[in-house]
Amino acid sequence: MIGNRIKELRKSKKMSQSELGKFIGVSQTTVTAWENGRAEPSSSYVAKLATFFNVSTDYLLGRKTPDNNGIDLDRAIDNAMSFDGKPVTDHDRKIMKQLWKAYMAGKE
């Protein structure tokens, strides 16, 4: 799975394997091995790749986040204030949840 993600991200930046290798400090052969599933990057290289591509290590590893976004979203909305400084209404909360869920669905 990680090899597919590395390849997908590298191609989205229109980079060669050699260029990616130079950026993170490995050979083109190593990048090829990662992308073909013959080897996996160490945790330190997973972190470097995530930073380089501006993604999470969980994304690189193919993990899905737990479906507890509703709980975290509720807490975030509870701490939020509307533009004029008044507490968020139930109507505002409902709209924010719908917008966030639609946004997240579009990312996948």
Side-chain angles (χ1 to χ4, degrees):
M1 173 58 83
I2 191 168
N4 292 335
R5 292 281 166 98
I6 293 169
K7 187 174 188 176
E8 164 195 315
L9 291 165
R10 176 182 60 78
K11 286 187 171 191
S12 74
K13 288 191 172 270
K14 299 184 183 348
M15 296 181 75
S16 68
Q17 291 175 333
S18 180
E19 289 170 322
L20 176 58
K22 286 178 187 174
F23 274 105
I24 61 170
V26 299
S27 69
Q28 179 265 328
T29 305
T30 299
V31 175
T32 300
W34 291 345
E35 290 184 0
N36 291 334
R38 291 192 312 267
E40 291 191 358
S42 67
S43 59
S44 62
Y45 283 112
V46 171
K48 285 181 182 184
L49 288 161
T51 300
F52 179 77
F53 289 120
N54 195 29
V55 297
S56 70
T57 54
D58 280 345
Y59 177 80
L60 277 177
L61 295 169
R63 296 182 182 150
K64 292 206 177 227
T65 55
D67 192 16
N68 63 358
N69 291 337
I71 296 168
D72 293 338
L73 183 57
D74 282 334
R75 282 190 213 138
I77 292 171
D78 286 341
N79 291 328
M81 300 295 278
S82 64
F83 180 74
D84 61 2
K86 295 178 183 173
V88 175
T89 67
D90 287 338
H91 176 72
D92 293 339
R93 177 185 309 277
K94 181 179 176 184
I95 298 298
M96 284 192 265
K97 279 185 177 181
Q98 289 172 342
L99 288 170
W100 184 254
K101 287 178 182 178
Y103 171 76
M104 293 305 291
K107 285 181 69 174
E108 297 174 0

